[in-house]
Amino acid sequence: NDLETFTAAGWDIADRATGYFAPRLSMDRSKPTWALSGKLQVKDVAYSLYSLDAQSYTYNGSSYSLNSLWSDTARIFGSAYSKWQFGVDYAFKYGAKLVTEFSQAGTYSGIQVVVLKDGFAAAQSGNTTGTLVIQPAPITVTANKQTKTYGDTDPTLTWEISSGALFGKDQLSGNLSRVDGENVGTYAISSGTLFAGGNYKLTLNSAQLEIQP
């Protein structure tokens, strides 16, 4: 065959005919050229992004690496692929984009695996996609008690964080409010428009505005 002919003539030719494709040399106007005969064979590999329900993930201002969460390659693909490496042999996809991490609170379902290794592809069926849930961070704000004299303008309704914390450059926005009324008495202070964003679960410890005679 061609391979034996050119090998005998001193050509350094690797025989990769088994399993994938058969390289052959042919002569074209006295110049040797490569020609591939046969069809590239791709092996389908099913994957399983096992459940993370036993773990709890809460927004903390940092990112959760998917490679750290699903780190057991043997569990993902089977023991025969335990040496596969993330970023070299496979990657993660969410929607239409390749992803490596998530940082914002939310539910990310339908995370898939993309096989990068030559000669292999993710199976069309039999796969188990993954779900990552990042819970909002709890934060408690305590309103400060306020007083004013009847007829005066309301004081600024202030607050302080009494439990939890804001991460990085995150800030609270908006203002507290109180029950309407201008007669002497006490009026409950509520959260109003105070908002910490979707990464937080805000709880208010209320107080009262007292209008004195």
Side-chain angles (χ1 to χ4, degrees):
N1 59 35
D2 291 339
L3 183 62
E4 292 175 350
T5 299
F6 283 93
T7 300
W11 289 78
D12 184 11
I13 304 171
D15 184 359
R16 297 171 57 191
T18 303
Y20 294 98
F21 54 83
R24 292 292 182 266
L25 281 170
S26 61
M27 301 299 292
D28 180 16
R29 295 183 180 179
S30 300
K31 293 182 181 180
T33 59
W34 281 107
L36 299 181
S37 62
K39 183 179 180 181
L40 181 65
Q41 298 178 7
V42 177
K43 183 174 182 179
D44 289 340
V45 179
Y47 63 84
S48 175
L49 294 182
Y50 43 89
S51 174
L52 301 175
D53 290 347
Q55 302 294 326
S56 178
Y57 305 98
T58 302
Y59 174 76
N60 60 12
S62 299
S63 297
Y64 288 99
S65 168
L66 299 186
N67 184 41
S68 296
L69 301 180
W70 286 289
S71 59
D72 192 338
T73 309
R75 287 185 65 187
I76 297 174
F77 300 105
S79 59
Y81 307 97
S82 61
K83 294 184 178 180
W84 275 18
Q85 297 180 4
F86 171 73
V88 177
D89 301 312
Y90 68 97
F92 296 105
K93 183 173 74 170
Y94 182 66
K97 296 182 179 180
L98 293 179
V99 292
T100 59
E101 60 190 17
F102 290 103
S103 61
Q104 306 298 301
T107 298
Y108 304 94
S109 58
I111 299 172
Q112 303 176 54
V113 170
V114 177
V115 175
L116 305 176
K117 191 173 182 64
D118 289 342
F120 295 85
Q124 296 299 309
S125 61
N127 301 311
T128 301
T129 59
T131 298
L132 170 63
V133 179
I134 303 177
Q135 301 288 352
I139 187 170
T140 301
V141 170
T142 297
N144 296 315
K145 182 179 179 180
Q146 302 287 347
T147 62
K148 75 168 188 174
T149 301
Y150 175 78
D152 288 350
T153 301
D154 277 11
T156 300
L157 301 179
T158 58
W159 50 265
E160 59 185 22
I161 295 175
S162 53
S163 178
L166 294 169
F167 297 100
K169 296 182 180 180
D170 294 345
Q171 295 181 338
L172 291 173
S173 62
N175 300 287
L176 299 175
S177 63
R178 69 170 179 89
V179 173
D180 291 338
E182 294 300 332
N183 293 325
V184 172
T186 56
Y187 299 85
I189 297 173
S190 64
S191 58
T193 60
L194 196 65
F195 183 60
N199 287 322
Y200 296 89
K201 182 179 180 181
L202 178 64
T203 300
L204 175 71
N205 286 333
S206 185
Q208 293 182 329
L209 167 68
E210 180 181 3
I211 300 178
Q212 301 172 341

